Amino acid sequence: MRAARLIKMVLLLQSRPSMTAAELARELEVSERTVTRDAQALSEAGVPVYADRGRAGGYRLIGGYRTRLTGLARGEAEALFLSGVPGALREMGLEDAASAARLKVSAALLPSLRDASRTAAQRFHLDAPNWFTEPKTPELLPAVADAVWDDRPVTARYRGREGEVERELEPYGLVLKAGVWYLCARVPDSGSYRVYRIDRFRAVTAGEARFERDEEFDLPGFWEAQAERFARSILHAEVVVRLSPDGVRRLPHVVDPASAREALAAAEAAHGDGWLTVTLPVESEQVAHSQLAALGPEVEVLAPESLRARFAEDARRLGRLYGT
């Protein structure tokens, strides 16, 4: 533990002209007294750490000292590629590895380039969760992430539609979608790949031996295909609507965008009044009612008659509320 802290201290001093005891204490998560003791230990070990006294003082390396401890460990290199997603790193338990990797990269850069990480962080930030949702970190995410990194099979107890089931899985990859974590895994018995929500795992036990990963597996491509298949699989009904020009523009924002675009492309030319008749696949009549209601007077439901009756009743109630 102390050895890792001493190495981190050297890397911090190598990446900056100087640092105060307070700054080092904050970065290393120790007291200033510990910083003083660590600096003395480094000096005794031959690392030229120099302490400047006074109000503007601090610690610095002298004599152009360069450490050779900048080689990235495998875990640090993998975490570095995820460093633009700080929340995801914390949730998977990789924040320390990414921090060490960034320090090593910074220490290896020319002095003129050492502020690159700071300037990039000032300009780009990824906020994965949806608006108006409170993201929750699944308790078993770190365990699943460890199995993914190490290619270790897991025995997982999972809460599905038919209750709890136990599965033997080969965890291939993790996906963070709108603040929800998913595992893409291969089922050894069938050789098929499936998707599981991490927050529905009740227990996860990793095996000792590693499974042989299919190097041809394309996680982004697999996820894109699964997401599209899922979006289409839940569209069990159809509605026919008339849309104003403004309704046409807004439709992809209130229903599945891909389905909306396909329906609009297949629609006949607009009538003389500019309204367009569209046959739209939907999840259910109830879902269609809540989605299309967001278009207000920019949509008229033509079929089914039961859905048209719902909107007619909505119109009557609104008329009574607003006195028309």
Side-chain angles (χ1 to χ4, degrees):
M1 183 69 176
R2 191 190 185 198
R5 190 176 71 241
L6 293 174
I7 291 172
K8 186 174 183 179
M9 184 174 181
V10 173
L11 291 172
L12 284 167
L13 293 174
Q14 186 171 310
S15 64
R16 305 178 195 182
S18 69
M19 296 183 69
T20 66
E23 290 171 337
L24 284 168
R26 186 165 55 251
E27 290 282 353
L28 300 172
E29 298 181 351
V30 296
S31 66
E32 292 186 31
R33 180 172 295 180
T34 299
V35 168
T36 301
R37 287 198 297 265
D38 285 352
Q40 183 176 351
L42 287 171
S43 181
E44 292 172 355
V47 179
V49 178
Y50 181 77
D52 288 316
R53 305 298 179 184
R55 181 175 298 178
Y59 292 92
R60 60 186 175 87
L61 295 174
I62 60 175
Y65 180 83
R66 306 286 296 176
T67 178
R68 296 181 182 272
L69 298 171
T70 52
L72 292 178
R74 180 176 181 84
E76 294 168 347
E78 290 169 335
L80 185 61
F81 286 101
L82 294 170
S83 59
V85 198
L89 284 169
R90 284 194 300 273
E91 292 174 7
M92 289 190 290
L94 295 173
E95 189 174 25
D96 288 343
S99 175
R102 285 192 294 268
L103 275 174
K104 290 182 178 181
V105 169
S106 179
L109 291 173
L110 293 172
S112 60
L113 299 178
R114 287 179 186 159
D115 66 341
S117 61
R118 179 182 59 82
T119 56
Q122 288 175 335
R123 288 164 174 78
F124 299 100
H125 176 68
L126 177 62
D127 184 10
N130 264 332
W131 290 103
F132 314 118
T133 58
E134 186 67 31
K136 295 181 180 179
T137 303
E139 182 180 347
L140 294 174
L141 176 60
V144 176
D146 284 344
V148 170
W149 287 122
D150 291 341
D151 292 339
R152 296 188 185 278
V154 298
T155 302
R157 199 164 73 244
Y158 185 80
R159 177 172 56 82
R161 294 179 179 177
E162 300 177 358
E164 283 194 6
V165 295
E166 190 168 277
R167 292 275 189 269
E168 301 294 327
L169 301 174
E170 294 175 349
Y172 265 63
L174 291 168
V175 175
L176 178 60
K177 170 70 171 179
V180 179
W181 284 96
Y182 296 88
L183 171 68
C184 301
R186 182 169 64 183
V187 182
D189 292 341
S190 63
S192 61
Y193 293 90
R194 299 182 185 177
V195 176
Y196 300 87
R197 279 185 59 144
I198 301 293
D199 58 6
R200 292 181 181 168
F201 283 116
R202 292 293 173 263
V204 172
T205 304
E208 292 297 324
R210 289 182 168 84
F211 64 86
E212 186 175 347
R213 172 180 285 267
D214 180 2
E215 296 301 332
E216 299 298 319
F217 178 75
D218 174 21
L219 179 60
F222 171 76
W223 177 259
E224 183 178 359
Q226 288 293 109
E228 184 176 348
R229 189 178 298 117
F230 172 75
R232 293 181 182 279
S233 70
I234 63 174
L235 303 178
H236 302 299
E238 282 188 346
V239 300
V240 182
V241 298
R242 290 178 70 240
L243 296 162
S244 72
D246 189 45
V248 169
R249 180 183 61 80
R250 292 166 53 189
L251 183 66
H253 299 287
V254 300
V255 300
D256 174 59
S259 300
R261 286 192 293 268
E262 289 183 10
L264 292 171
E268 298 179 0
H271 304 291
D273 58 1
W275 284 58
L276 191 68
T277 300
V278 176
T279 300
L280 183 69
V282 294
E283 184 174 345
S284 66
E285 183 176 313
Q286 182 176 357
V287 172
H289 177 250
S290 63
Q291 291 175 331
L292 295 174
L295 297 179
E298 308 305 326
V299 62
E300 177 190 1
V301 175
L302 302 180
E305 186 58 38
S306 55
L307 182 59
R308 181 178 174 87
R310 287 193 185 204
F311 277 89
E313 176 60 21
D314 288 347
R316 285 190 290 271
R317 292 177 62 191
L318 286 169
R320 290 194 294 271
L321 285 173
Y322 291 98
T324 57

